Amino acid sequence: SLGGSLAILLAMELAALNDDRLQSSPVTCITFAAPRVGNLAFAKAFQYLERNRKVRCLRVANDKDIFPTIPKTGTKNMCGITLFGDFLYRHVGILLTLKKDGTYTITYPQHYRHPLQLLLRDWTGRANSRKESMLRLICQENLAQSHSCQEYWTRLNWCSEELKEMDLHEQYKKVAGRYFHNFDT
C-alpha cells in the first residue's frame, strides 16, 4: 500500500517532465492496495496527464481491503463549519476491484461530485463510525485479511485468464474516456 502510493507520486512526477525520452509512450503505473494520494488539484493534474497520454495508472484493490479507502474523503468539519475543498484526498487512475467470488469490476474515480453528495456521504460515515470503532470493524469483518499478499494473489489467479487479455489503453478508452472531452488514447 505504501509502495503503491509512492509509485503513483513517481508516475506523476515522471509524466510531468518534459523529457524527450518519455514522450514515445505514457508512463505506466500498476499498484496494489494504494491509498488515496493527492488532493483535488493533484487529481485534476493527473487527469490532465492521462488525457494527454502522459500517464496510465491501474490500481488493483480487493473489495474488502480497507487500506485503499484511506485517508477518507468527503467534508472537513472545522469549528462547526463544514468545508468542501481541495485539501481532501482523491484516487487517480483506473481501479480494478477484485471480488471474493472470483469476479472483478473496473471503474474510474469521479472527482466532481456535488457538495451535497459529499456532505450526505460524510454524515452517514460519521454516524456509522459512532456505532463501532474502526478496530472493531476490522476485526469483525476480517478486513485485514483482504489486505494480505496471499489474498491478492488468490484473487488475481481467479481472474488471470480474463486479465491476461486486458489492455490498459483500451480500458482507458472504455472507462475513463467518458469523463474526458476529446480523449486521445
Side-chain angles (χ1 to χ4, degrees):
S1 44
L2 174 60
S5 57
L6 293 173
I8 290 171
L9 292 172
L10 178 62
M12 171 76 159
E13 185 74 23
L14 291 173
L17 290 175
N18 279 330
D19 190 333
D20 292 336
R21 295 173 290 180
L22 298 173
Q23 298 302 319
S24 61
S25 62
V27 173
T28 301
C29 177
I30 300 175
T31 68
F32 290 85
R36 293 180 181 95
V37 176
N39 62 9
L40 183 58
F42 177 88
K44 286 181 179 181
F46 201 94
Q47 285 181 337
Y48 173 82
L49 293 170
E50 287 174 315
R51 223 180 5 261
N52 290 290
R53 291 199 77 218
K54 301 285 184 182
V55 68
R56 295 288 181 258
C57 181
L58 177 67
R59 293 180 303 105
V60 180
N62 285 338
D63 64 343
K64 295 282 184 181
D65 189 350
I66 198 162
F67 290 94
T69 69
I70 58 176
K72 291 292 183 191
T73 63
T75 61
K76 184 168 180 110
N77 192 331
M78 296 179 68
C79 302
I81 301 171
T82 301
L83 303 173
F84 305 95
D86 292 349
F87 55 85
L88 305 172
Y89 287 91
R90 307 285 187 214
H91 272 305
V92 295
I94 290 176
L95 172 63
L96 171 64
T97 304
L98 303 172
K99 298 184 179 185
K100 200 162 188 134
D101 65 2
T103 62
Y104 64 89
T105 59
I106 299 174
T107 56
Y108 189 77
Q110 298 177 13
H111 300 293
Y112 308 105
R113 294 190 177 147
H114 190 276
L116 184 57
Q117 290 175 318
L118 291 172
L119 176 63
L120 290 173
R121 185 183 71 203
D122 187 56
W123 178 81
T124 303
R126 277 192 270 132
N128 290 335
S129 69
R130 288 187 201 124
K131 294 177 186 172
E132 52 189 336
S133 71
M134 184 65 84
L135 182 60
R136 184 178 300 149
L137 179 65
I138 290 171
C139 293
Q140 285 177 347
E141 297 292 325
N142 202 11
L143 296 178
Q145 179 187 356
S146 294
H147 189 66
S148 73
C149 291
Q150 181 62 43
E151 188 68 19
Y152 273 87
W153 181 253
T154 300
R155 292 184 190 194
L156 278 171
N157 279 328
W158 288 336
C159 305
S160 64
E161 290 304 313
E162 289 179 52
L163 295 177
K164 282 180 188 175
E165 304 300 319
M166 186 170 72
D167 180 287
L168 188 54
H169 302 296
E170 288 299 316
Q171 290 304 317
Y172 261 87
K173 273 199 260 186
K174 288 180 191 173
V175 180
R178 71 184 104 170
Y179 297 103
F180 301 134
H181 298 292
N182 302 320
F183 186 69
D184 177 29
T185 57

